Amino acid sequence: MNETRLPTNWARWGDDDQLGTLHLIDAAAKRRAAAEVREGFHVSLARRTEPVPLTTGLSPVGSPAVMPAGVLQTVNFNGAQPLAMTDSLLVNTHNAGLTHLDAVAHMPVDGHVYPGVPVHAAVTPTGVTHGSADPFGEGIVTRAVLLDLAPGGGRLPADRRVTGADLDAALQRAGTPLSAGDAVAVRGGWDINRPFDQPVPGLDLSAVRWLDEQGASVYVGDIGDARPARPPMPMHQVALARLGLPLVDVADLERLARHCEASNRWSFMLVLAPPRITGTTGLAVNPIAVF
């Protein structure tokens, strides 16, 4: 496919923009989110990640094996009587075993990061200077809609490529409107923390175009780009890098889906509050759905 026809938001909000589609979360979107809170119930959309001892958790990146552990831990305790107990964590942010929020600088295309800034001007060995996760530290609050592609606790086939028509059908099943500035949560019923040579389903370019046309502000999914990957990777090289659409990767949407099905409510307030650690390509995050 001709990449000049790929959807893009480069220059839409200026050559120095770092917010991307977060611009779409206006006061009206936040009021819609607040209006969703009626039950006083909330659920985490993050998977449970157990730290691995630092000395045993490394494996080669890019090998057929799974990625290095999502979180490596050293407990700072040598057996003496301590004043306090502490530990040190090494977080492998972009890990298939850790729910995380991708900053727009995470994935370059043609030597540039969103919205067209050369990689060498945006990323340094000591931190990200453009397109980092810094804006996420302000917190993200908006209305969200769950699109369940495998209702009833099912799972998509491993070779499935999710289209825009699939997302539209799921929205119709949900029976709720989707407005510009809303977040979209997509459930395929998958745990993608598996060896890279094993296929997993993912969204295709028509699905990314659908997200763009709907004005999605944030994507939350238990699936993203399919494996094996084929360029352009729809979610990371188009949605993130070209549209500036922040991605919450490796979400756990099972409990959310069960609650939505039981209550017949598919929309909710989404709260993202990652740590305020500056200059990163992404951050671990615990998305919260509030009903």
Side-chain angles (χ1 to χ4, degrees), residues 59-68 194-197 227:
S59 65
V61 177
S63 74
V66 294
M67 298 172 69
R194 57 187 62 230
F196 292 146
D197 58 355
R227 297 183 198 153

Side-chain angles (χ1 to χ4, degrees), residues 94-106:
H94 303 284
N95 184 280
L98 178 69
T99 303
H100 59 272
L101 181 55
D102 287 347
V104 294
H106 169 47

